[in-house]
Amino acid sequence: MDELLKIEHLSVGITSTAGKVQAVRDVSFKLHPGEVLAIVGESGCGKSILCKSIMKLLPKSAKIEGGKIYANGVDITDYSDKDMQKLRGKLFSFVFQDPMTALNPTIPIGKQIAEAILIHEPKLPKEEVYNRVIALMELVGIRQPHERYKLYPYNFSGGMRQRSVMAIALAANPKILLADEPTTALDVTIQAQILDLLKEIQVKLGTATILVSHDLGVVARAADRVAIMYAGKIVEIGTAEEIYYDPRHPYTWGLMQSLPALNKGKAELKTIPGMPPTLIDPPVGDAFACRNEYALEIDYHEQPPMFQISDTHFAATWLLDPRAPKITPPIGGKANV
Amino acid sequence: MSDILLDVQHLSHVFKLSKHLRLNAVDDVSFQMKKGEIFGLVGESGSGKSTVARCIMNIYQPTAGKILYNDINVCDRREFQKHHKMLEERRQIIFQDSTSSLNQRMKVADIIAEPMHIHRIKPPRGRLRAEAEFQLSYVGLDASYLDKYPAELSGGQRQRVAIARALSMEPELLVADEPIASLDVSIQAQIINLFKHCNKEHGFSILFIAHDLSMVEYLCDRVGVMYHGKLVEVAPTAELFSNPQHPYTQALLSAIPIPDPIVERNRKRMDFDEMTFEREGALTEVAPDHFVLRKEDRQ
Ligand SMILES: Nc1ncnc2c1ncn2[C@@H]1O[C@H](COP(=O)(O)OP(=O)(O)OP(=O)(O)O)[C@@H](O)[C@H]1O
Ligand SMILES: Nc1ncnc2c1ncn2[C@@H]1O[C@H](COP(=O)(O)OP(=O)(O)OP(=O)(O)O)[C@@H](O)[C@H]1O
Ligand SMILES: [Mg+2]
Ligand SMILES: [Mg+2]
């Protein structure tokens, strides 16, 4: 077994006033030690709920309805909150989007990192805790850690705060880091620093990371593999090169074509027409069909399976069926770069 | 009437962090926005962009300087009171953190209709609910979201509710603080097209604050760059991106991520050393309409 995390046919439902939302539908993937897997997708397609279901941080109204989650080979699907407490921090850790809400404004940064260490090793002597905090601060690139130990979050810039959040997340040497839009709120120079840090940690500690991001530039910089999600499902997954240079799913084409870099000088940015389906009553066939200019008849009544393109590249679109008409993709098509 | 909509003059804002500690969040910032212009404000995290936005919207009272909106000094209490209703109607803001700016106990339909309700604006589509549905469709959400509460929405869905609410007022000035960062690229494109449409057809002026510089380059007419509370450079968009002068601007532009894995992984970016930053000086015109923060004696 060489995967740290294995998700098999995971489905999550949320009861709401309007009916049951099928936020995650039959999702499967594996995460290997030391890799960065990015999850990209439509707003509201279930990325955060997927992460929360792995961490067992789902809202009360949500429930895992099918499938399995294996961490380090152990089935944790039915773990209670109490069982999970032991895994959080050590096996899994989480970085939230907004660094300000993740930190307590009334406690000095150093002390907050120390607390994160003490949760997992309550008996560690004071001096050793201090040394560990300093080492963590250095690891995430906070210079002059001794001087900064006593400073409060408001004394830190946005980038420094996000580094502190990373230090807290890494306090117990987690094997798996789930980062939900960790750099969205940061300027591009700090963004790049945090991403490089993520890569460095991955090399130094062997941490595997799930990186949720909308920014295809950020993903290009940091990800080894990329999963594209639409309406609760993974519709395409592959190495970063495969997804950027040879995308196969029409939704992936639509995303790439919306980038301002590809629309310079045009009066309008290209968009994907229509709206995503509500997840309360997802359509029987391919959920993307009604927005897909390449949709086939079969898309409207049968969901496409995952077609294999290479050892690492899979996409769920009927266009890959041998019987489908051959079309020229509007973008990419640079296989084997 | 002049064609200047917004005139920010020597704006400063200081936060008192403790008895002894003060933070110059915004330090002597001046810029103007013409009617119908889209002005981008970019820069370092924590450089004071949101604080400028909040001063413009009368959420913070600036420590020094003044802000003229259609020649009304909005920092003057008496003048502000006198034009209060007009200012509240014509200026709208989309907050950076929409999660905390939406009333958690209200349904989406009521959140969107609230400003129209408060200002007793007759909804163009008859009923407030119909109007809310119409505005929602513009940001890519259908009627099924009208009866949801903010907690039942994803981050990006909440953000779009905040956008629909602000646009429903057809503002003369829209202050959009990181309006699209939490949206996927296709919906980002849709919102940006919508902003462009509102600007062209309805004459909205937009102050667009964002970290996504490729979107700023696409959308904005002029751009200002902030660093450590200072406006360090202002120029027409094409000029700024092709000919950045301030070392911080150069570092910032060199870090724009490129959506191409091989190029991006092997790219070098420039670093800007905080220690070399010169706070003193004034905005100096280096090319037509292109200003850079410089020490005066350096010319
Ligand atoms: N507490 C809840 N009750 C009901 N529905 C919910 C709840 N939380 C999320 N949802 C719905 O579940 C779906 C998935 O939400 P999720 O937060 O995972 O989206 P996301 O992919 O993270 O989107 P974004 O990119 O906008 O953050 C959305 O359509 C959302 O409306
Ligand atoms: N209410 C407040 N009290 C104290 N300090 C504050 C407050 N609001 C902001 N600050 C500080 O003022 C400075 C400017 O903050 P501001 O939010 O304006 O920056 P920004 O440019 O919008 O940053 P970002 O790009 O991260 O949103 C920061 O150092 C911030 O920590
Ligand atoms: Mg999310
Ligand atoms: Mg801000």
Side-chain angles (χ1 to χ4, degrees):
Chain A
M1 181 214 62
D2 64 347
E3 66 263 358
L4 269 177
L5 184 69
K6 186 162 81 174
I7 311 289
E8 275 184 345
H9 305 291
L10 186 72
S11 295
V12 180
I14 313 175
T15 28
S16 77
T17 38
K20 199 174 76 195
V21 180
Q22 301 195 306
V24 176
R25 304 191 293 146
D26 193 18
V27 163
S28 303
F29 66 87
K30 290 174 187 168
L31 185 69
H32 305 283
E35 79 167 336
V36 177
L37 171 69
I39 303 182
V40 177
E42 189 96 14
S43 163
C45 72
K47 302 176 297 293
S48 297
I49 296 288
L50 173 63
C51 289
K52 286 178 186 163
S53 67
I54 297 170
M55 289 292 286
K56 298 288 160 62
L57 291 172
L58 283 172
K60 286 215 169 57
S61 52
K63 207 175 132 246
I64 294 181
E65 297 187 320
K68 294 277 179 212
I69 303 170
Y70 297 95
N72 250 339
V74 182
D75 180 355
I76 62 161
T77 323
D78 299 318
Y79 267 34
S80 68
D81 201 48
K82 223 169 139 196
D83 300 324
M84 278 308 285
Q85 298 261 310
K86 287 180 214 134
L87 299 185
R88 271 185 220 136
K90 258 201 139 40
L91 184 59
F92 294 113
S93 223
F94 206 117
V95 178
F96 291 98
Q97 178 177 356
D98 180 4
M100 237 3 206
T101 55
L103 293 170
N104 185 332
T106 62
I107 302 176
I109 295 275
K111 207 166 161 216
Q112 297 194 44
I113 303 174
E115 278 173 7
I117 296 171
L118 285 168
I119 290 175
H120 302 284
E121 286 168 83
K123 298 210 179 75
L124 209 63
K126 246 189 174 165
E127 221 183 80
E128 225 163 287
V129 174
Y130 181 81
N131 290 338
R132 283 271 286 281
V133 172
I134 298 298
L136 275 166
M137 289 172 83
E138 277 168 350
L139 174 72
V140 299
I142 300 176
R143 273 172 281 171
Q144 301 164 302
H146 296 282
E147 288 79 5
R148 290 203 153 107
Y149 188 99
K150 286 211 173 70
L151 294 184
Y152 290 85
Y154 61 71
N155 304 125
F156 278 48
S157 69
M160 284 297 200
R161 275 182 229 136
Q162 192 60 298
R163 283 165 187 272
S164 312
V165 174
M166 293 274 255
I168 291 171
L170 296 171
N173 284 340
K175 295 258 172 351
I176 302 166
L177 184 65
L178 288 103
D180 195 350
E181 302 195 28
T183 61
T184 308
L186 303 174
D187 71 63
V188 289
T189 49
I190 297 170
Q191 207 171 61
Q193 289 167 18
I194 297 279
L195 293 177
D196 292 350
L197 173 66
L198 214 73
K199 280 255 161 193
E200 219 178 286
I201 288 163
Q202 173 201 0
V203 175
K204 272 193 199 153
L205 308 178
T207 312
T209 306
I210 293 182
L211 171 72
V212 177
S213 178
H214 288 304
D215 190 324
L216 292 169
V218 163
V219 170
R221 187 177 191 96
D224 301 303
R225 283 196 302 142
V226 182
I228 308 284
M229 247 181 116
Y230 186 81
K233 286 176 163 279
I234 289 183
V235 295
E236 181 161 6
I237 188 166
T239 63
E241 285 85 348
E242 285 164 339
I243 300 293
Y244 280 82
Y245 303 133
D246 187 25
R248 296 301 181 99
H249 197 283
Y251 176 63
T252 316
W253 296 342
L255 278 186
M256 301 279 175
Q257 285 177 300
S258 319
L259 288 171
L262 291 175
N263 288 272
K264 272 192 185 158
K266 298 200 185 131
E268 268 204 345
L269 293 169
K270 195 165 163 54
T271 62
I272 302 171
M275 292 183 202
T278 57
L279 295 174
I280 291 178
D281 230 341
V284 273
D286 182 349
F288 189 57
C290 55
R291 304 174 71 187
N292 180 1
E293 58 179 302
Y294 305 98
L296 306 170
E297 179 58 31
I298 187 170
D299 278 315
Y300 291 93
H301 42 258
E302 200 178 327
Q303 282 186 24
M306 270 286 183
F307 288 94
Q308 181 160 13
I309 300 142
S310 75
D311 283 351
T312 45
H313 192 183
F314 299 83
T317 166
W318 283 116
L319 292 177
L320 292 171
D321 189 281
R323 291 162 295 177
K326 293 278 160 284
I327 59 153
T328 318
I331 192 166
K334 288 186 268 170
N336 313 317
V337 231
Chain B
M1 252 198 159
S2 78
D3 67 340
I4 302 296
L5 177 68
L6 184 73
D7 191 356
V8 176
Q9 300 179 0
H10 305 288
L11 180 72
S12 292
H13 194 72
V14 178
F15 287 112
K16 284 190 198 113
L17 297 180
S18 68
K19 255 198 205 135
H20 314 287
L21 211 58
R22 268 151 222 275
L23 178 79
N24 293 319
V26 176
D27 187 3
D28 194 15
V29 163
S30 303
F31 66 94
Q32 295 184 328
M33 269 178 73
K34 292 192 202 75
K35 288 191 175 125
E37 187 174 42
I38 306 183
F39 186 84
L41 201 53
V42 304
E44 192 207 9
S45 298
S47 58
K49 304 180 296 295
S50 298
T51 307
V52 168
R54 285 166 178 258
C55 289
I56 290 170
M57 294 302 290
N58 284 98
I59 298 166
Y60 293 152
Q61 180 69 23
T63 315
K66 62 180 178 182
I67 298 168
L68 301 178
Y69 181 82
N70 274 329
D71 298 328
I72 301 161
N73 181 3
V74 300
C75 303
D76 180 279
R77 290 244 159 84
R78 283 200 28 222
E79 269 197 68
F80 175 68
Q81 283 308 334
K82 204 169 124 202
H83 300 279
H84 179 245
K85 191 170 149 41
M86 179 277 281
L87 289 167
E88 298 276 275
E89 265 183 56
R90 295 213 194 147
R91 304 175 307 173
Q92 293 294 320
I93 182 166
I94 300 165
F95 286 103
Q96 182 166 13
D97 179 6
S98 59
T99 308
S100 56
S101 73
L102 299 179
N103 186 335
Q104 298 297 314
R105 297 211 196 98
M106 276 165 77
K107 288 183 175 174
V108 167
D110 301 322
I111 292 173
I112 295 173
E114 188 184 43
M116 288 183 278
H117 185 67
I118 291 174
H119 293 287
R120 304 222 178 84
I121 290 171
K122 217 175 142 277
R125 275 148 213 93
R127 288 167 46 240
L128 283 173
R129 194 180 162 88
E131 187 64 30
E133 180 176 341
F134 175 79
Q135 297 293 345
L136 208 53
S137 73
Y138 256 122
V139 293
L141 293 172
D142 63 30
S144 70
Y145 289 93
L146 285 171
D147 290 314
K148 296 209 175 206
Y149 291 95
E152 297 177 327
L153 304 176
S154 78
Q157 290 166 343
R158 275 195 292 265
Q159 185 61 29
R160 285 183 275 166
V161 170
I163 295 171
R165 177 184 153 104
L167 292 182
S168 72
M169 290 297 289
E170 308 217 335
E172 186 178 38
L173 173 67
L174 177 68
V175 175
D177 193 353
E178 282 286 357
I180 56 169
S182 57
L183 306 174
D184 67 79
V185 286
S186 168
I187 293 171
Q188 281 189 1
Q190 197 177 327
I191 301 288
I192 292 303
N193 287 341
L194 180 61
F195 281 5
K196 265 203 146 164
H197 168 86
C198 290
N199 170 256
K200 274 226 171 68
E201 306 299 322
H202 305 280
F204 292 19
S205 303
I206 304 175
L207 177 63
F208 185 75
I209 302 176
H211 286 306
D212 184 342
L213 293 155
S214 49
M215 213 44 116
V216 168
E217 181 177 16
Y218 178 80
L219 178 71
C220 298
D221 301 314
R222 277 191 309 139
V223 181
V225 182
M226 285 188 74
Y227 184 76
H228 275 40
K230 284 278 186 193
L231 193 64
V232 297
E233 190 157 0
V234 191
T237 307
E239 165 74 10
L240 186 92
F241 279 81
S242 60
N243 186 23
Q245 290 293 314
H246 195 279
Y248 177 70
T249 312
Q250 292 168 351
L252 188 71
L253 297 186
S254 83
I256 300 174
I258 297 167
D260 182 322
I262 294 175
V263 174
E264 182 59 30
R265 284 179 202 141
N266 298 312
R267 204 159 58 107
K268 284 258 176 302
R269 56 194 154 76
M270 280 184 240
D271 271 324
F272 178 66
D273 183 0
E274 200 179 323
M275 308 313 282
T276 62
F277 180 55
E278 291 263 13
R279 297 192 73 81
E280 307 310 320
L283 285 177
T284 314
E285 192 163 15
V286 292
D289 223 11
H290 185 170
F291 297 84
V292 184
L293 183 70
R294 284 221 176 128
K295 263 201 160 147
E296 275 111 21
D297 57 5
R298 248 232 264 142
Q299 297 177 358

